[in-house]
Amino acid sequence: PNRAGGQGEDNAVSGLDFSESGEIVATYRGGMVHLFDSRGSGAAPDEPVRQIRSYGGHANVETFLKEARFLSGGRFVATGSDCGNLFVWHKSSGKLIRKIRADGCVVNGVAAHPALSLIMTCGIDSSVKVFDVGEDEIPAPADATDDADQPSGRMLPLSMRGGKAVVTVTEAQEMLLAGERAKTRGNDTFKAKKIEEAAAHYHDAIRLLAGFHAPTPGVARETETLLAMSRLNLAACSLQLKEWVSAGQLCSQVLAVLPGNPKALFRRAQALMEQHDFEGARRDVVLALEKEPDDPGLRRLLGEIKKKDADRKLKHKKAFA
């Protein structure tokens, strides 16, 4: 299509979309997003499409994968950017109405659900983000903080599902360090037998580590391991505080990412035993013994489970004799 190219803009189209009314939106490498009317005047079959409007402010240089999409029945235009933000403009006015963090590095893909008010984005991060989209523009809050140059006035309601922050690798490393420090404080206070204080520190660590999307597979693995250890330590606190259900749930979360972890099986078995689920407790101890056959703590626990189960059966037999 013929267009008024921006400075540094070449003819490489990285993404385009078609509206039901016959419009085309296209994003160009190194340049802007352009809106075209493909219907023409009908005077000639080969009549070139007419450029209607252009949208700018984003960057499309680092990757040649940026997509452009119509949103909300063609009322808005969206694309990704090298800065890691999702850009949304009002189609008719060309006004930028939303700029929201959607990737730790670069946003490449933007997809609108064909029936539901949902947007999905992807980029360099290891995860796809899903946003709920409001039907109408709303007044932008005075303290809008999506980005330093978040547009003022009115904005399109967007909320990421899961509520996790989208961070850069540097920001993720900072949060990992903060989570590690909180876990260490928990370890120190647990050793000092300040169980409730230790539990609070482990809760802080879990909140920090579970609160962001890992931007790379390496960060994801590191976060997953540290999160599992924090939950495992919190389970130890829950056992001390006789919070059996909580202890079991925490250990199950750990086992979901670290299958067969002996310490998680041991602590879940303790929690199950206290809830009189002797079969489940015995099963966990047997699985743990496959990994640690000579562990004296596991063998003592297995003996305790068998004794409590036998006592329960005897008591039940006498009650109905």
Side-chain angles (χ1 to χ4, degrees), residues 14 17 24 47 53 66-67 71 79 88 106 132 136 143 166 170 175-176 179 193 195 234 273 276 304 316:
S14 67
D17 194 18
I24 300 173
E47 179 183 0
R53 191 163 285 102
K66 306 295 188 307
E67 295 179 332
L71 303 179
T79 193
V88 183
V106 176
D132 287 291
D136 298 299
D143 59 347
V166 180
T170 300
M175 296 183 80
L176 282 169
K193 301 189 183 303
I195 306 303
L234 180 57
M273 180 185 68
H276 299 159
E304 187 179 356
H316 182 78

Side-chain angles (χ1 to χ4, degrees), residues 55-75:
Y55 313 92
H58 67 299
N60 184 12
V61 177
E62 296 299 324
T63 60
F64 184 50
L65 297 166
K66 306 295 188 307
E67 295 179 332
R69 289 288 181 265
F70 288 105
L71 303 179
S72 300
R75 292 189 296 134

Side-chain angles (χ1 to χ4, degrees), residues 70-140:
F70 288 105
L71 303 179
S72 300
R75 292 189 296 134
F76 307 103
V77 171
T79 193
S81 175
D82 293 341
C83 61
N85 289 306
L86 171 68
F87 282 69
V88 183
W89 297 270
H90 192 281
K91 185 191 72 175
S92 299
S93 68
K95 180 182 178 182
L96 178 65
I97 59 169
R98 201 67 200 267
K99 178 182 177 183
I100 187 170
R101 194 75 172 175
D103 193 89
C105 300
V106 176
V107 177
N108 287 319
V110 180
H113 194 282
L116 303 177
S117 297
L118 296 175
I119 301 174
M120 298 181 71
T121 64
C122 65
I124 306 301
D125 282 0
S126 57
S127 59
V128 172
K129 316 302 186 304
V130 181
F131 295 87
D132 287 291
V133 186
E135 291 298 322
D136 298 299
E137 298 167 68
I138 59 173

Side-chain angles (χ1 to χ4, degrees), residues 54-268:
S54 298
Y55 313 92
H58 67 299
N60 184 12
V61 177
E62 296 299 324
T63 60
F64 184 50
L65 297 166
K66 306 295 188 307
E67 295 179 332
R69 289 288 181 265
F70 288 105
L71 303 179
S72 300
R75 292 189 296 134
F76 307 103
V77 171
T79 193
S81 175
D82 293 341
C83 61
N85 289 306
L86 171 68
F87 282 69
V88 183
W89 297 270
H90 192 281
K91 185 191 72 175
S92 299
S93 68
K95 180 182 178 182
L96 178 65
I97 59 169
R98 201 67 200 267
K99 178 182 177 183
I100 187 170
R101 194 75 172 175
D103 193 89
C105 300
V106 176
V107 177
N108 287 319
V110 180
H113 194 282
L116 303 177
S117 297
L118 296 175
I119 301 174
M120 298 181 71
T121 64
C122 65
I124 306 301
D125 282 0
S126 57
S127 59
V128 172
K129 316 302 186 304
V130 181
F131 295 87
D132 287 291
V133 186
E135 291 298 322
D136 298 299
E137 298 167 68
I138 59 173
D143 59 347
T145 57
D146 284 346
D147 200 84
D149 54 350
Q150 168 71 35
S152 59
R154 300 187 68 79
M155 59 188 284
L156 180 68
L158 286 177
S159 58
M160 186 184 299
R161 291 199 168 185
K164 290 188 177 184
V166 180
V167 298
T168 64
V169 173
T170 300
E171 290 167 340
Q173 292 293 347
E174 291 172 353
M175 296 183 80
L176 282 169
L177 286 173
E180 180 66 54
R181 286 193 293 267
K183 185 175 79 72
T184 299
R185 288 193 294 271
N187 294 347
D188 293 340
T189 49
F190 186 87
K191 291 174 184 176
K193 301 189 183 303
K194 299 177 181 178
I195 306 303
E196 291 185 350
E197 185 178 342
H201 289 309
Y202 293 133
H203 274 297
D204 286 342
I206 293 168
R207 176 182 54 78
L208 288 165
L209 297 167
F212 65 93
H213 288 279
T216 66
V219 171
R221 288 190 294 270
E222 191 175 352
T223 304
E224 186 178 85
T225 300
L226 188 54
L227 189 55
M229 293 302 100
S230 299
R231 285 176 171 149
L232 196 52
N233 292 353
L234 180 57
C237 293
S238 296
L239 290 172
Q240 291 287 323
L241 297 170
K242 299 184 179 181
E243 298 171 350
W244 315 125
V245 174
S246 176
Q249 290 173 342
L250 287 162
C251 291
S252 294
Q253 288 178 304
V254 173
L255 289 165
V257 296
L258 299 176
N261 181 273
K263 193 172 289 187
L265 288 168
F266 176 76
R267 291 178 183 168
R268 188 170 70 175

